[in-house]
Amino acid sequence: MERPFPTVAVVGLGTMGAGVAVALARSGRRVIGVEAGPTQALRALDRIEASTARAVERGRLEAGERAALLALIEVGDDLTAAAAADLVVEEVPEDLELKRSLFAELDRICPPETVLTTGTTALSVTRIAAATARPERVLGVHFFNPVHTMRLVEVVRTVLTDPGAAEQVAELARDLGKEPVAAGDRAGFIANGLLFAYLNQAAAMFESRYATREDIDAAMRLGCGLPMGPLALLDLIGIDTARTVLEAMYAQSKDRLHAPAPVLGQLVAAGLLGRKSGRGFYAYEAPGSSKVVPEERADAAPRAAGREVRAVGVCGSGTMATGIVEVFAKAGFPVLLAARSREKAERAKERLAKSLERSVARGRLSEQARDAALALVTPTGSYADLADADLVVEAVAEDLAVKRELFAALDAVVKPGAVLATTTSSLPVVSCATATSRPGDVVGMHFFNPAPAMKLVEVVSTVLTAGDVTATVLELCAKVGKHPVECGDRAGFIVNALLFPYLNDAVRMLQEHYATVDDIDTAMKLGCGYPMGPFELLDVVGLDVSLTIEQVLHQEFREPGLAAAPLLEHLVAAGCLGRKTGRGFRDHARR
């Protein structure tokens, strides 16, 4: 099969356009670069030469390959040169009228068979195509920055796009070593459509002073394995760019969750655009620098000293409870493992022993450390044995009635001054606290699964939690090697409040037949660096668990956009709960 588009014109040779030009030339294609004027053309050529020289220095390109690809690229300021191209890739600034004017001129210059593509991330491809007499040969081709490392390309069709033209562009992307995904014409397409809604909610969370910028970013990195926290990512993207994308998304969706958080507008008005201006959510060493400069917080108040914790109790015998016991025992704390019966507690300790043995086999733990940790764990079938514990962590079923009953029982037996913690991920901590006569001693301590491996702990204070109780848990997290983040007692805390609306948006995208399960997962993994796509993650978490969290979030915030997607409800009703039942968004029984 003949390779598609042997000659390609790239109009606009900024960072993205220059990257596309180099990628095309590396594939052996002739590239016609067009800039707005002679000065801009010279700068663009310098940019291409400098980037390819760096690639040689870093071993990504041979000197001979560089010379060959540079010979394939010509750069000028005459748009009529694009008439010799089989394909035109437009990468000019995100201005609709600028793009429409350019496409009208390209339509006049180029032969009828030439395919015209726009690199827009937020504007309507349909409206750009309407400026031409060939809308069937106009589509979006969204590369990701930096082009040389990012494998994703979104191929965006309008209602008029010729499927053959779209397939030719997808074949070109594959020939460049990229992974094309098919998307329809709506603001943000797949990756940005899901990413920017999440970033917007993180900005709103920070603006409401629910959590600090550092805690929000750490929570999403450590709790979800994301390459960057949302606020740091907004600074990298550019806050003005993010606001432009969100405005375009809101104009189409009218979903309030897409309306840019007011803090974004305030930062843009102040010229605080992120890394490129030297300051955004964070302050940087200089404009364009990635080095964050610590800032003094004027509102930082001295923290109370924590209480002494020498002995720990853990209530529960499931996976989470056993993992938490392992965390404390490995850190040298005596732990009482309390279950509803002595037999359940003994079985939980046996599972703990197997977990520690696996760590020894993998070289992560010495035999002496394994034996020392096991010796510190005492199983018991009676909550009365927790009387002298300084901290008791509840890790029983995620059922409020069960938890309240347990907290009432602990209130009757645990000594005064002990800290009582719940590991709930979705229930109100204050409801557990009010089951006791000492609500000031109750705090949320949300570990992530598997507890021994996951570094994050969300420390959740209610309106009644004493300051020294919060301080106790924060200090204790440091002692056991965990990274604590602080937040208030509202649905989802930090991680789930940001993660599950994003997952719900992905389900809605599928439900609307906008993109396939595989394309959405691919877009988020390759375009955003996520460890798992949303549907992979939903199937692992469990669709029933996910639906419950969505419902809790909707009930708490009453935001229409947070209502669980009907498709998710239907799959749960059908018993398709993900990996645990063999079928969810994918059929795991056949794999």
Side-chain angles (χ1 to χ4, degrees):
M1 180 179 174
E2 187 180 343
R3 296 170 77 206
F5 309 121
T7 301
V8 182
V10 180
V11 182
L13 294 166
T15 302
M16 183 63 76
V20 173
V22 170
L24 289 163
R26 284 193 78 166
S27 72
R29 289 173 169 83
R30 178 186 170 212
V31 179
I32 302 167
V34 183
E35 259 296 351
T39 303
Q40 294 95 319
L42 286 172
R43 286 177 186 160
L45 193 54
D46 288 344
R47 189 179 297 118
I48 290 169
E49 289 177 348
S51 69
T52 52
R54 285 194 299 272
V56 171
E57 289 172 10
R58 294 169 183 174
R60 295 199 308 262
L61 193 65
E62 296 292 333
E65 291 176 320
R66 175 177 182 259
L69 78 83
L70 287 176
L72 288 168
I73 301 173
E74 59 182 85
V75 178
D77 62 344
D78 183 2
L79 189 62
T80 61
D86 309 293
L87 169 75
V88 179
V89 179
E90 166 271 306
E91 290 289 354
V92 302
E94 285 287 83
D95 180 297
L96 181 61
E97 290 313 311
L98 172 64
K99 289 181 188 284
R100 281 174 55 83
S101 174
L102 173 62
F103 271 72
E105 188 65 11
L106 287 169
D107 185 46
R108 185 185 66 79
I109 292 167
C110 297
E113 64 273 13
T114 304
V115 175
L116 308 179
T117 66
T118 172
T120 184
T121 61
L123 302 176
S124 167
V125 178
T126 303
R127 293 185 66 186
I128 293 169
T132 76
R134 65 178 93 188
E136 72 285 351
R137 297 193 72 73
V138 178
L139 61 154
V141 56
H142 179 210
F143 289 86
F144 285 71
N145 196 30
V147 176
H148 68 273
T149 59
M150 298 296 282
R151 289 180 53 218
L152 181 67
V153 175
E154 291 177 317
V155 179
V156 186
R157 303 183 188 189
T158 74
V159 290
L160 297 174
T161 301
D162 174 14
E167 182 48 42
Q168 273 190 302
V169 172
E171 184 57 35
L172 168 69
R174 284 188 281 268
D175 195 49
L176 299 180
K178 307 296 184 185
E179 184 79 34
V181 296
D185 182 25
R186 73 181 195 188
F189 313 134
I190 301 173
N192 286 348
L194 295 177
L195 174 68
F196 279 88
Y198 149 71
L199 296 178
N200 195 39
Q201 289 173 70
M205 180 180 281
F206 169 75
E207 185 174 22
S208 70
R209 299 192 177 186
Y210 176 67
T212 67
R213 62 191 179 183
E214 292 84 1
D215 280 357
I216 292 170
D217 279 355
M220 300 313 291
R221 284 188 295 104
L222 300 177
C224 299
L226 304 187
M228 291 184 77
L231 303 179
L233 182 54
L234 279 164
D235 276 358
L236 175 62
I237 291 168
I239 293 166
D240 52 341
T241 301
R243 191 167 183 269
T244 297
V245 174
L246 286 163
E247 289 283 15
M249 289 172 61
Y250 178 72
Q252 285 190 10
S253 71
K254 299 299 186 289
D255 184 339
R256 287 197 310 176
L257 296 178
H258 296 159
V263 68
L264 298 177
Q266 293 159 18
L267 289 169
V268 170
L272 307 178
L273 309 181
R275 286 191 190 182
K276 61 188 173 186
S277 68
R279 189 173 169 194
F281 286 99
Y282 294 89
Y284 298 88
E285 195 171 51
S289 171
S290 62
K291 185 175 180 181
V292 174
V293 177
E295 294 178 277
E296 291 290 331
R297 285 184 55 191
D299 60 343
R303 186 180 295 283
R307 302 175 187 179
E308 186 178 12
V309 175
R310 288 169 297 185
V312 175
V314 177
C315 299
S317 57
T319 302
M320 182 58 78
T322 307
I324 293 169
V325 169
E326 181 174 336
V327 168
F328 283 112
K330 286 198 295 193
F333 286 90
V335 187
L336 274 164
L337 196 172
R340 285 180 294 176
S341 68
R342 178 63 183 242
E343 291 74 23
K344 283 181 176 291
E346 293 283 3
R347 285 199 295 273
K349 185 172 180 180
E350 289 170 8
R351 288 196 298 275
L352 168 62
K354 290 178 182 177
S355 175
L356 293 171
E357 189 57 47
R358 285 194 296 272
S359 294
V360 171
R362 292 167 184 167
R364 297 173 183 167
L365 195 69
S366 69
E367 293 183 358
Q368 293 81 358
R370 173 202 61 196
D371 295 341
L374 273 176
L376 287 168
V377 178
T378 304
T380 178
S382 172
Y383 293 137
D385 291 340
L386 299 168
D388 293 325
D390 302 300
L391 168 76
V392 178
V393 180
E394 165 274 308
V396 299
E398 194 74 343
D399 181 302
L400 187 57
V402 172
K403 289 183 186 290
R404 281 180 58 84
E405 182 181 351
L406 174 57
F407 271 84
L410 293 174
D411 187 39
V413 298
V414 177
K415 69 182 181 182
V419 174
L420 306 180
T422 172
T423 61
T424 183
S425 62
S426 61
L427 300 173
V429 177
V430 73
S431 293
C432 297
T434 53
T436 75
S437 62
R438 48 174 127 177
D441 291 340
V442 179
V443 68
M445 198 174 182
H446 179 211
F447 288 82
F448 285 71
N449 196 32
M454 297 293 281
K455 294 275 292 179
L456 184 68
V457 175
E458 290 179 317
V459 179
V460 186
S461 301
T462 75
V463 292
L464 300 173
T465 303
D468 64 339
V469 168
T470 302
T472 301
V473 175
L474 292 171
E475 292 169 8
L476 193 60
C477 285
K479 290 176 182 175
V480 300
K482 298 300 180 186
H483 185 112
V485 296
E486 288 186 76
C487 57
D489 182 25
R490 73 182 197 189
F493 310 139
I494 298 174
V495 172
N496 286 348
L498 294 178
L499 173 64
F500 280 88
Y502 148 73
L503 296 176
N504 197 44
D505 282 350
V507 179
R508 289 185 185 280
M509 193 175 271
L510 176 67
Q511 177 181 288
E512 294 163 5
H513 306 288
Y514 177 71
T516 67
V517 165
D518 287 340
D519 278 356
I520 294 170
D521 276 357
T522 297
M524 297 314 293
K525 288 191 291 184
L526 298 185
C528 300
Y530 285 16
M532 300 177 77
F535 297 109
E536 287 178 282
L537 184 54
L538 281 161
D539 277 0
V540 168
V541 170
L543 273 59
D544 51 341
V545 174
S546 302
L547 176 60
T548 297
I549 294 172
E550 295 289 358
Q551 291 169 334
V552 167
L553 289 170
H554 184 234
Q555 177 66 25
E556 175 103 333
F557 297 107
R558 308 300 173 96
E559 185 63 60
L562 294 178
L567 177 58
L568 182 62
E569 295 177 326
H570 295 164
L571 287 168
V572 171
C576 301
L577 308 183
R579 286 186 178 274
K580 60 189 173 186
T581 60
R583 186 174 175 187
F585 286 99
R586 289 186 172 87
D587 188 346
H588 301 281
R590 295 182 183 178
R591 297 191 172 208

